[in-house]
Amino acid sequence: MKSRFLGSALTTAVLVGTALTGTVVGAGSASAASLPKDCSKAIVNVKAKETVNVRTSPKTTATAVGIWGKGRKGTLCNDGKAYKGGSYTACGKKSNLWYYGGEKKTGWVPKTCINW
């Protein structure tokens, strides 16, 4: 028989953990601070399929810090590895995968809009 207090205990543990760390991370996602941003291993001359916003974190609600213009060459950091973030529909496809890179500004861009 399950205890009726188990849910309350788990909620309390999460709230205490949040108070101690100041971080809330949803299941299956990572905080932007924990995602690698290593541009020493970069793929260069990568083109954008469409003009996309370059964002501060891998989600569509994050602040845009620049744009990567359609057909313009840019750089993908982290050896071109994609990371899970917020879900989106862009360039005709749905996904939750993001690249870190850009044309003039560096940040998070939707994987579906980059030709690599």
Side-chain angles (χ1 to χ4, degrees), residues 9-98:
L10 289 174
T11 301
T12 301
V14 168
L15 291 175
V16 169
T18 301
L20 293 174
T21 64
T23 304
V24 177
V25 179
S29 67
S31 71
S34 70
L35 294 170
K37 298 174 186 174
D38 180 9
C39 291
S40 67
K41 295 180 179 181
I43 309 296
V44 296
N45 296 323
V46 178
K47 290 184 178 181
K49 293 177 188 175
E50 298 292 334
T51 298
V52 294
N53 287 318
V54 178
R55 300 188 177 276
T56 56
S57 62
K59 56 186 178 179
T60 58
T61 57
T63 303
V65 294
I67 61 168
W68 187 342
K70 178 181 180 177
R72 302 293 303 243
K73 292 179 181 177
T75 302
L76 293 180
C77 301
N78 308 312
D79 269 340
K81 182 176 179 186
Y83 294 89
K84 287 184 181 180
S87 295
Y88 60 85
T89 299
C91 301
K93 295 182 181 178
K94 290 184 179 184
S95 183
N96 69 341
L97 295 176
W98 296 77

